[in-house]
C-alpha cells in the first residue's frame, strides 16, 4: 500500500462517490491509498480551510496508519491547524466509531440536516491527535510514501 496526492481529482471523485454526493469540493487537498494492484482503496479530502480549522472527508475500503499519519501531519503540521472538523451521518455507526478512534469528540448534532436524518459534528483538536504525530507514526508516514 502506498499514499498518493495526485491525481487529486480521482481521489476527490472516489470520496464523493463513496459518500454519495457531488465532487464539488472547491479548493481542496486530497490523499489516497493505492493497493498493490494500483487500485484506489481509500481517500481523504481536506477543504474549507479557514485558519485555524479545516474540514476532513474520508472514504475507505481499507485504511492504514500511514494514511492517517499523512492526514494528521498535513492538517496539524503543514497547515498549522488547531482542529479538524468532520460531519458524519448519525446513522453511520462505523464512521462515527472511526472518528472517535482518531481522537475526535462529538461536538453537536444537526437535526434533520440530511436526507437520512441527523448529522454529527466531530472535532479533532491538535492536542487530541498527538499520538498520530509521534515518531512511530511518522515512520509509517514516510514508509507509505516510499515508491
Amino acid at each position: 500500500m502506498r499514499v498518493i496526492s495526485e491525481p487529486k481529482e480521482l481521489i476527490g471523485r472516489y470520496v464523493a462517490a463513496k459518500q454519495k454526493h457531488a465532487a464539488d469540493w472547491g479548493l481542496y487537498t486530497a490523499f489516497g491509498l493505492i493497493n498493490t494492484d494500483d487500485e484506489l482503496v481509500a481517500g481523504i479530502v481536506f477543504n474549507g480551510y479557514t485558519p485555524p480549522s479545516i474540514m476532513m472527508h474520508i472514504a475507505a475500503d481499507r485504511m492504514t496508519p500511514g494514511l492517517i499519519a499523512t492526514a494528521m501531519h498535513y492538517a496539524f503540521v503543514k497547515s498549522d491547524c488547531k482542529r479538524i472538523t468532520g460531519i458524519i451521518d448519525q446513522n453511520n455507526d462505523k464512521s462515527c466509531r472511526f472518528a472517535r478512534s482518531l481522537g475526535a469528540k462529538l461536538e453537536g448534532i444537526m437535526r434533520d440536516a440530511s436526507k437520512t436524518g441527523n448529522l454529527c459534528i466531530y472535532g479533532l483538536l491538535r492536542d487530541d491527535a498527538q499520538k498520530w504525530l509521534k515518531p512511530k507514526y511518522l515512520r509509517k508516514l514516510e514508509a507509505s510514501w516510499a515508491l
Side-chain angles (χ1 to χ4, degrees):
M1 301 280 215
R2 67 187 161 88
V3 175
I4 61 169
S5 60
E6 292 291 338
K8 80 174 191 177
E9 293 78 13
L10 174 68
I11 301 165
R13 284 193 307 270
Y14 173 89
V15 173
K18 291 281 188 181
Q19 294 185 349
K20 297 181 173 93
H21 65 73
D24 54 354
W25 301 111
L27 293 176
Y28 71 100
T29 297
F31 300 99
L33 187 65
I34 300 290
N35 68 13
T36 55
D37 294 326
D38 282 337
E39 299 167 324
L40 187 61
V41 295
I44 298 175
V45 170
F46 286 100
N47 71 344
Y49 178 61
T50 52
S53 181
I54 196 165
M55 296 287 297
M56 182 169 72
H57 313 268
I58 300 176
D61 294 315
R62 292 273 323 266
M63 185 57 68
T64 65
L67 182 59
I68 295 168
T70 296
M72 298 303 153
H73 188 269
Y74 172 78
F76 294 121
V77 177
K78 187 169 183 188
S79 299
D80 197 30
C81 289
K82 291 181 181 178
R83 67 172 287 124
I84 296 171
T85 302
I87 299 177
I88 303 171
D89 189 299
Q90 189 173 26
N91 298 316
N92 189 339
D93 292 331
K94 187 176 179 181
S95 292
C96 291
R97 278 192 312 275
F98 180 72
R100 289 190 301 272
S101 77
L102 295 178
K105 305 284 190 270
L106 179 63
E107 297 181 334
I109 304 287
M110 295 169 49
R111 298 179 301 145
D112 287 329
S114 77
K115 294 176 184 174
T116 60
N118 300 338
L119 294 175
C120 297
I121 302 167
Y122 281 90
L124 178 60
L125 300 181
R126 185 183 331 199
D127 289 345
D128 296 329
Q130 285 305 303
K131 89 174 200 177
W132 299 106
L133 302 173
K134 290 184 178 178
K136 170 184 172 181
Y137 289 104
L138 292 178
R139 285 191 294 278
K140 291 182 185 294
L141 179 156
E142 291 164 358
S144 68
W145 283 88
L147 296 178

